Amino acid sequence: LKPNIITDLNAFSDRVDEITSATSYETIKHCVSTLKKVLYDNPDFMKNNLDVIFLDENNIKYVDRNIITETPTYEELKEWYAKSGLPLKKFFNTSGLLYKEMSLKDKLPAMSEEEQLRLLASNGMLVKRPLVVAGDTVLVGFKEAQWAENLTQ
């Protein structure tokens, strides 16, 4: 087992039997991916963020992923977009400097879905934060009521 899988198993001990009885790494990886909550954010701006405070106050275990140094891939973004049910524009950090510098407000409408996803995957600063992926749930931006409904069950 890879070290990150062992860490995840320890974090989700209530499902260890199911996961450890799996016969392949891919099965284990799939089981763990449906259990863990991953927070994609920029750590330079996280110290007093409401998202981190909410997760910590509600004792929600999560894996923190730096969206700048570990930019989501095209495949990840495509999957999350499909799961979210949101318009693709919601995945863009429309208040970000890079978004504005690139004049994306005017360019996005003429771009295909694939082009937009590839653009998002090219630079983590273009992706709206925070982004939480928890199994089949994808939350973009911090909305406390939505997070409470989807993450505290």
Side-chain angles (χ1 to χ4, degrees):
L1 295 178
K2 293 188 177 185
N4 63 326
I5 296 296
I6 292 170
T7 301
D8 291 337
L9 288 175
N10 291 334
F12 299 101
S13 59
D14 59 326
R15 302 272 307 272
V16 169
D17 289 339
E18 176 186 349
I19 296 169
T20 55
S21 66
T23 56
S24 73
Y25 174 71
E26 286 306 313
T27 303
I28 292 169
K29 186 175 163 186
H30 172 72
C31 287
V32 171
S33 73
T34 62
L35 293 172
K36 71 181 176 183
K37 294 168 179 67
V38 182
L39 172 67
Y40 296 84
D41 214 335
N42 183 346
D44 294 339
F45 302 103
M46 285 180 61
K47 294 221 183 226
N48 294 310
N49 277 7
L50 294 175
D51 54 345
V52 174
I53 293 168
F54 174 86
L55 293 169
D56 291 343
E57 285 181 353
N58 287 283
N59 296 314
I60 298 171
K61 292 181 170 121
Y62 61 95
V63 176
D64 190 13
R65 183 169 158 187
N66 183 331
I67 204 160
I68 308 307
T69 60
E70 299 178 70
T71 303
T73 66
Y74 167 83
E75 291 78 15
E76 287 174 318
L77 288 160
K78 185 176 181 178
E79 178 184 340
W80 301 338
Y81 165 56
K83 286 181 179 181
S84 75
L86 296 170
L88 189 51
K89 185 176 179 182
K90 294 285 186 185
F91 280 79
F92 281 88
N93 180 11
T94 57
S95 61
L97 186 59
L98 185 57
Y99 181 91
K100 292 174 182 176
E101 285 175 357
M102 294 177 71
S103 302
L104 292 177
K105 179 181 180 183
D106 300 323
K107 294 178 183 176
L108 285 180
M111 294 174 70
S112 71
E113 184 177 288
E114 180 176 346
E115 289 171 323
Q116 290 182 47
L117 288 166
R118 292 205 183 279
L119 181 60
L120 284 168
S122 73
N123 191 319
M125 293 300 285
L126 291 173
V127 181
K128 173 95 172 160
R129 301 174 300 273
L131 177 83
V132 173
V133 179
D136 287 333
T137 300
V138 177
L139 304 173
V140 181
F142 180 73
K143 297 175 193 88
E144 187 171 357
Q146 182 186 40
W147 281 39
E149 180 182 335
N150 288 282
L151 300 176
T152 59
Q153 301 171 16

